[in-house]
Amino acid sequence: QVAAASGHTVVLVDQSEEILKKSTKGIEESLKRVTKKKFADKPEAGAEFIEKTLKNLTTSTDAVAVVHSTDLVIEAIVENQEIKNELFKRLDKFAPEHTIFASNTSSLQITQLANSTTRQDRFGGLHFFNPVPMMKLVEVIKTPMTSQKTFESLVDFSKAVGKSPVSCKDTPGFIVNRLLVPYMMEAVRLFERGDASKEDIDVAMKLGAGYPMGPFELLDYVGLDTSKYIIDGWHSLEPNNPLFAPSPLLNKLVQEKKLGKKTGEGFYKYN
C-alpha cells in the first residue's frame, strides 16, 4: 500500500486469488481511512489518490513469473527459516542480476537468508512496523556481505515511501525487538512470580512510561505464538542469556491455542 501510494509499481504476490482479493479489499479500506484524514476538505482529490494508488497495484499467485521485471523484492511470508530460504532460492534463479532482495523478518538472521541465494551483496533487511501506513519507522539491516550500494538503495527506497529509516547490523531482533521482546518477557516473569497483576503492570507502563499499550496488551496484539517463536529462536542462539529464557506461562497459553486477539483470548479475553 505505501509503495503504491508513493508512486511505485507494485505486484502483490500471495498463495491464492482468495487471499489476494481479501488483501486488495483491505488496502482499499485502509486507503479510504488515510484519505479521510489527508484530504478531509478535498474529497475529489482523495478519490483521485485512491484510484491512482490502486492503478499502481497488481496481484499475482506466481512469484517466479513476476520477478523477471522487478527491481526490489520484499518478502513478508511466514516466520520460518526453511520456507523463506526455499522462496529466495527459487526467486534467485529467475530475478535479474540487479534485483535487490529484502526480508521483512523481525526475528530471523538476514545473513542466513542471504546465504540461500547467490546475491549476498544485493540482500538486506527492510523491517517495517505495524500498521505500516501509520508507522514511520523502517529498520534497514546490513549484513557483512551487503554492498554499500545496496544499503544506500534500501535507505533511499524507505525514504521514497515516506518512512524514516534507521540502520542496524544483523543482530537478533535488530533495534526495536531486541529491546521490546525481553521487556515483554520480563513483564510475564514479573506476573509469573506473583509480584504484580497483569492489569497493574499494563497500567503502570502506560501511565508511568507513556507507552500506548501495556506489555500484556501488546503480547496479545502481536500474537503469543509469534512472541514464543521469536524468544525460542533467540534462546537456541544464546541459551545462556537470561533475557531469552522461555516462559512456562507463555508456553502453556500457546499450547492451549490462546494466542491473543486473533483467537479471542490470550492474557485477556476479547469479544
Side-chain angles (χ1 to χ4, degrees), residues 119-180:
R119 61 185 76 220
Q120 287 102 327
D121 58 326
R122 284 150 290 153
F123 203 115
L126 274 181
H127 182 218
F128 290 81
F129 287 78
N130 271 329
V132 180
M134 313 303 295
M135 300 288 270
K136 294 293 282 183
L137 186 70
V138 176
E139 290 176 326
V140 182
I141 313 307
K142 191 179 184 196
T143 77
M145 297 97 74
T146 309
S147 73
Q148 189 58 24
K149 188 183 172 199
T150 296
F151 173 71
E152 283 165 13
S153 297
L154 292 173
V155 168
D156 290 345
F157 173 76
S158 304
K159 288 177 182 169
V161 297
K163 301 299 174 197
S164 301
V166 294
S167 165
C168 184
K169 285 181 180 172
D170 190 16
T171 179
F174 315 134
I175 299 172
V176 175
N177 280 337
R178 180 64 182 78
L179 298 173
L180 194 60

Side-chain angles (χ1 to χ4, degrees), residues 181-212:
V181 173
Y183 147 75
M184 294 193 295
M185 294 303 290
E186 279 299 295
V188 176
R189 290 181 195 114
L190 193 67
F191 175 53
E192 277 177 326
R193 291 195 300 268
D195 294 341
S197 71
K198 54 184 186 288
E199 291 80 5
D200 282 355
I201 294 169
D202 276 353
V203 169
M205 291 314 291
K206 285 190 284 191
L207 301 185
Y211 287 10

Side-chain angles (χ1 to χ4, degrees), residues 24-37:
T24 310
K25 196 171 183 294
I27 287 171
E28 281 184 49
E29 295 301 316
S30 177
L31 284 167
K32 282 175 192 165
R33 286 196 297 274
V34 170
T35 49
K36 254 186 194 163
K37 282 182 185 171

